[in-house]
Amino acid sequence: MPSFSRRDFMAGSAAIIGFGAAPGLARASTVTEFVDGLVAGQTPRQGGRLTYGNPVPNWALGQSDRGTHPYYFMDIQTRSIWNALTWVDENLEVRGELATEFASNDDGTVWEYKLREGVVFHDGREFTSKDAVASCRLHADPRLGGVGFLKQYVESVEPMGDHGIRFHLNQPNVEFPHATAEYRAMMLPARDDLNEMGYDGIGTGAFRLLEIDNKRQFRAERNEDFWMPGRPYIDELVGVLAMGANAINGFRAEQFDMVLNADPGQFDQFRDAGGVVETASSGDQFWLVLPKNVNFPWNDVRVRKAMSLAIDRPRINTIIYNDPEGWTGNDTHMNGANKEFLPRPVERDVAQAKALLAEAGYPDGIDLPAIFYCATYPEEPRLWAVVGESLKEAGINLQFSERPCDGFNPFVSAVNKPIGRPRRNLIGARNPAINLSRASNLNDAEPGGWEGPGFDRYNALLSEAAAEKDAEKRLSIYHEMQRIAQDEVPGVMVGGRRTNLVYREGWHNLRPHTQLWQGPRFETVWKDG
């Protein structure tokens, strides 16, 4: 297949761009333009060290203690050390990072990326298409790969000269550049053996990794050869795991300049300690996986609907997040920050929930199997208590059982494969195609064994949307998919969380991001004095 010309890039991009897809330019808007805009009018000072505490470690820490690999790095803010081909900005629009342009063929099955020139790894090696191809082959490898959305779609990757790569997909995907922005999809130095890639801690990011103890902290220094000239501004970046009371105590003791994902119930304490609290428009959410392939009451759609109607989501927002007007989950993987988000037609109706239970044969209420969770976010135990109390108002008894986060995934997936135990899954804010694919036949677990004509129609619509170039038509498809899921309730989405961070006065450009792993952009951060 011949390489696309500049005209092909123009035509391909213009044909596909729209809601939830790439920006409406042939030369994709880049992260450098975002960074330049962020620091415009400022006079950044060089020097200093930023130490942040994070109560939310990488969910995969229990799988490996080799934190020099982006899959197992201490937290999922991997862009401090590494970079990906693309980046998703604060409006959930995709931008080029180590790629400066990307465009597809007419049906969205072939994507070509032009790579940024002059980028070097921390060891001085030039970043080329050889590294990009090897990295993407690793991430998409069925056995070794850690980027599920690339494993789902990528059939093969090939180089286009020294600074270009071509993806061949196994099906159309007009929103594919979002998948190359994932927090594990980092560009790594190529090795002949994919098994050996990524464990050296070498990336192209603003900071060079000096040391890491995956159970405690990492330390990194300024990358003098970073591909954004003059950046980063600070000399050293230190990240520390700070679970429980360690976050607020460390901030009070001035051990931390910033805390990511602070407990919302402690915001006033942080403010009293001199902190500035910032929240994004949204953040990670909680999806309840309801197995329907075994003899559980969730096999009956009326029980699932009753459960969703009984949950008092506005009360959760009020009590847990002090955000009574915040958005609430719509029983799909869509996020309130998505332009395509379709609210549920009825927020809460306890009387209707009771009527559905009676119709299903439970006039006196129902005891449901326990749902397991690990407290990834510090507010979760309180949140699930509110959920449980609101369910009781409809006669639904449901215990939320906390488990340690270390080993949580093996525990919930050890039985009833491939669905596993009833549990809550963390759901990051993403583009519609990725969001909605998580309740489809592309995901073995999260639909929970959903089947039938509604599920078949949902999958057909997902394939139709993935190939649809017209943004308005794609929006209509996404709305129909959400209505199907809301009617059949394959799982329950709580909704309402917002990414947050707390920092001390005098620091600049520390901004929370709805996609937790995409920010802050540490290369923009600087300190007064």
Side-chain angles (χ1 to χ4, degrees):
M1 176 182 293
S3 173
F4 296 140
S5 66
R6 176 73 179 177
R7 179 176 296 177
D8 293 328
F9 264 104
M10 293 286 288
S13 296
I16 287 177
I17 303 316
F19 284 107
L25 295 171
R27 184 188 66 78
S29 296
T30 63
V31 67
T32 52
E33 292 165 340
F34 172 85
V35 166
D36 289 344
L38 192 60
V39 301
Q42 299 178 359
T43 308
R45 299 176 65 99
Q46 294 278 355
R49 176 177 66 190
L50 174 70
T51 300
Y52 71 86
N54 193 350
V56 183
N58 186 340
W59 61 269
L61 284 193
Q63 298 178 4
S64 172
D65 60 0
R66 300 178 70 180
T68 50
H69 196 295
Y71 289 5
Y72 313 114
F73 189 58
M74 189 192 81
D75 56 32
I76 62 174
Q77 275 66 38
T78 48
R79 279 176 169 80
S80 55
I81 310 298
W82 299 273
N83 298 115
L85 294 175
T86 51
W87 177 69
V88 174
D89 68 18
E90 294 170 355
N91 297 315
L92 299 185
E93 300 288 352
V94 70
R95 294 173 179 254
E97 190 169 41
L98 291 185
T100 57
E101 302 181 23
F102 43 83
S104 83
N105 63 349
D106 286 341
D107 67 1
T109 58
V110 179
W111 281 87
E112 293 189 351
Y113 285 50
K114 182 178 179 181
L115 304 181
R116 188 180 298 277
E117 298 187 30
V119 176
V120 295
F121 287 104
H122 296 149
D123 62 357
R125 286 179 42 192
E126 182 186 8
F127 167 68
T128 69
S129 56
K130 178 180 179 181
D131 305 295
V133 167
S135 298
C136 293
R137 286 176 178 169
L138 168 66
H139 300 322
D141 186 272
R143 184 174 61 89
L144 302 173
V147 185
F149 307 119
L150 295 184
K151 293 165 76 170
Q152 287 174 358
Y153 282 100
V154 174
E155 186 172 277
S156 63
V157 193
E158 61 181 329
M160 297 166 51
D162 288 338
H163 294 95
I165 64 171
R166 181 185 294 124
F167 292 93
H168 296 271
L169 308 186
N170 54 30
Q171 56 188 299
N173 186 344
V174 298
E175 298 179 19
F176 177 72
H178 283 266
T180 55
E182 285 293 302
Y183 61 90
R184 284 185 157 193
M186 299 295 111
M187 295 295 101
L188 309 168
R191 288 178 178 259
D192 293 335
D193 185 351
L194 295 184
N195 280 289
E196 299 176 358
M197 282 186 62
Y199 291 102
D200 51 18
I202 294 173
T204 59
F207 296 90
R208 184 173 68 89
L209 188 62
L210 295 176
E211 60 184 16
I212 182 166
D213 175 351
N214 242 21
K215 303 297 186 192
R216 184 169 175 265
Q217 69 175 34
F218 77 88
R219 187 168 65 90
E221 67 177 0
R222 184 178 191 269
N223 176 12
E224 299 286 348
D225 297 316
F226 186 49
W227 46 271
M228 291 189 196
R231 299 181 181 115
Y233 302 115
I234 56 176
D235 292 331
E236 190 174 356
L237 181 68
V238 178
V240 181
L241 292 182
M243 273 76 87
N246 291 333
I248 181 62
N249 290 340
F251 194 81
R252 283 173 173 153
E254 301 188 2
Q255 295 171 341
F256 301 144
D257 305 297
M258 178 187 80
V259 171
L260 280 167
N261 306 303
D263 186 336
Q266 295 178 340
F267 281 174
D268 286 343
Q269 296 179 55
F270 278 102
R271 291 188 181 102
D272 290 344
V276 178
V277 177
E278 301 278 2
T279 58
S281 62
S282 189
D284 283 0
Q285 307 303 328
F286 308 119
W287 171 262
L288 299 182
V289 178
L290 310 177
K292 295 168 281 294
N293 65 328
V294 289
N295 189 26
F296 285 159
W298 293 306
N299 293 349
D300 192 323
V301 66
R302 293 168 295 189
V303 175
R304 304 196 302 269
K305 283 185 176 181
M307 182 174 165
S308 182
L309 284 168
I311 294 174
D312 194 340
R313 294 169 175 89
R315 191 194 306 175
I316 294 168
N317 285 351
T318 301
I319 294 174
I320 305 302
Y321 297 114
N322 193 27
D323 187 17
E325 303 303 319
W327 71 280
T328 60
N330 73 350
D331 292 340
T332 77
H333 291 72
M334 292 292 280
N335 190 288
N338 292 118
K339 296 188 288 282
E340 304 84 353
F341 180 83
L342 187 69
R344 294 160 61 239
V346 177
E347 178 58 63
R348 188 177 191 235
D349 190 333
V350 173
Q352 178 64 14
K354 289 181 176 179
L356 285 167
L357 288 177
E359 185 181 313
Y362 305 100
D364 300 320
I366 187 172
D367 295 329
L368 291 175
I371 289 180
F372 296 95
Y373 75 96
C374 81
T376 301
Y377 286 95
E379 73 270 17
E380 282 199 66
R382 303 193 306 275
L383 182 147
W384 297 120
V386 175
V387 173
E389 288 301 314
S390 64
L391 287 170
K392 285 180 181 179
E393 295 174 20
I396 299 173
N397 296 311
L398 174 57
Q399 177 188 0
F400 289 90
S401 180
E402 184 175 357
R403 300 280 302 187
C405 286
D406 193 356
F408 179 75
N409 285 336
F411 167 75
V412 296
S413 60
V415 299
N416 190 33
K417 296 181 181 296
I419 296 168
R421 304 178 193 270
R423 66 191 181 279
R424 79 92 181 94
N425 276 8
L426 286 180
I427 307 299
R430 292 179 169 92
N431 59 299
I434 288 180
N435 286 339
L436 294 171
S437 74
R438 295 186 68 162
S440 77
N441 56 11
L442 295 176
N443 189 308
D444 290 334
E446 289 184 348
W450 183 25
E451 58 184 19
F455 184 56
D456 295 340
R457 175 63 177 160
Y458 185 95
N459 289 313
L461 287 169
L462 180 66
S463 296
E464 184 180 336
E468 179 54 66
K469 302 172 187 176
D470 184 271
E472 291 301 320
K473 291 180 179 178
R474 203 159 62 249
L475 176 62
S476 178
I477 295 169
Y478 290 146
H479 280 177
E480 183 178 351
M481 293 178 71
Q482 290 173 80
R483 281 190 286 267
I484 291 172
Q486 289 167 8
D487 186 55
E488 301 205 2
V489 195
V492 171
M493 179 67 84
V494 176
R497 259 202 94 258
R498 300 175 188 266
T499 305
N500 73 71
L501 57 79
V502 183
Y503 61 90
R504 297 192 179 283
E505 292 279 3
W507 286 96
H508 299 267
N509 302 327
L510 287 169
R511 297 159 65 98
H513 197 297
T514 288
Q515 267 194 3
L516 168 66
W517 56 93
Q518 304 286 3
R521 294 293 319 194
F522 286 114
E523 62 267 69
T524 70
V525 174
W526 60 280
K527 183 183 181 182
D528 291 335

